[in-house]
Amino acid sequence: MECASEMGIPQDLVKEKECDGMDEDVEELRVQLKQAQHEIEVSKSEINQMLAQREETERVYTEKLAQINHARDQDAIMAELRTQAIKLGAHNPEDVVKLIDKSTLTRDENGVIMGAQDVLERARKERAYLFNSHAGSGRQSGTTVSAPSPQPGEPVSFDARRISGADYEAQKWQFLAKK
């Protein structure tokens, strides 16, 4: 009957037989409760470890993404500077790009390089020896490959006595085919 009083159950409602079984059941429930509490603590620590790993992974990902974006922006800035240097008549655009201060250049959301023209104009004023006196076409600056312009002149006269026999026969058949 002690067990009933421990549990707060009136003694007149509990029979002695039931009390013996209840002690075992209560003890078994306490053991199960302790196991469940231990499992909860283990699960909480596993969840905390997973959250810490997730935060670390997100931090690493964010850093790598920032590095990639910075490298991409720098490549775009360098390409824009080389292009603008060529347009301004730079003798060697790579040297011009290396010598200018690129710290003020930024790339906006649309991919437009802000300040490139100003930086190159300032470099052209400060280091005029890197540029032609006037910006010319690509053919003049040596940055574009093109065929030479046709030259006006007299057409070369045809002399049948100076060509080979095969060429003479071909020319003869072309002449006869026109008639």
Side-chain angles (χ1 to χ4, degrees):
M1 299 264 180
E2 279 177 38
C3 68
S5 63
E6 287 176 8
M7 293 176 26
I9 301 174
Q11 293 181 356
D12 56 338
L13 296 176
V14 179
K15 297 180 184 171
E16 201 167 308
K17 269 187 184 176
E18 293 174 359
C19 194
D20 290 339
M22 285 177 77
D23 283 341
E24 292 172 7
D25 290 341
V26 169
E27 191 59 38
E28 184 179 328
L29 287 174
R30 285 183 181 153
V31 169
Q32 289 177 356
L33 178 63
K34 286 183 181 182
Q35 288 176 346
Q37 288 174 338
H38 177 69
E39 288 176 6
I40 289 172
E41 291 301 319
V42 168
S43 296
K44 284 182 181 179
S45 70
E46 288 175 355
I47 288 171
N48 288 336
Q49 286 176 351
M50 285 184 213
L51 288 174
Q53 286 176 345
R54 177 180 171 206
E55 289 172 0
E56 178 65 19
T57 302
E58 286 178 356
R59 185 188 62 76
V60 169
Y61 170 77
T62 304
E63 287 176 2
K64 293 288 185 185
L65 184 61
Q67 289 173 354
I68 290 169
N69 286 339
H70 180 72
R72 181 201 62 209
D73 290 346
Q74 291 303 312
D75 288 345
I77 288 171
M78 296 299 280
E80 179 68 17
L81 288 173
R82 281 190 296 273
T83 302
Q84 292 298 326
I86 290 169
K87 287 181 182 178
L88 291 174
H91 294 296
N92 190 340
E94 293 296 325
D95 288 346
V96 172
V97 170
K98 288 177 187 176
L99 293 173
I100 62 174
D101 179 23
K102 296 174 276 298
S103 63
T104 59
L105 302 176
T106 58
R107 186 173 180 202
D108 68 5
E109 301 84 33
N110 298 327
V112 177
I113 309 302
M114 307 303 289
Q117 188 69 28
D118 297 335
V119 169
L120 285 168
E121 286 293 335
R122 188 172 43 246
R124 187 172 187 191
K125 289 177 186 171
E126 293 172 358
R127 295 184 173 101
Y129 60 91
L130 293 173
F131 296 88
N132 290 332
S133 59
H134 67 284
S137 68
R139 178 142 171 73
Q140 291 171 338
S141 65
T143 58
T144 308
V145 177
S146 65
S149 302
Q151 300 296 320
E154 297 288 325
V156 178
S157 61
F158 179 72
D159 186 3
R161 295 176 289 174
R162 294 190 177 147
I163 61 172
S164 67
D167 288 338
Y168 174 78
E169 289 295 321
Q171 290 286 333
K172 180 173 80 172
W173 284 109
Q174 285 179 356
F175 177 75
L176 291 175
K178 289 180 186 177
K179 289 189 175 193

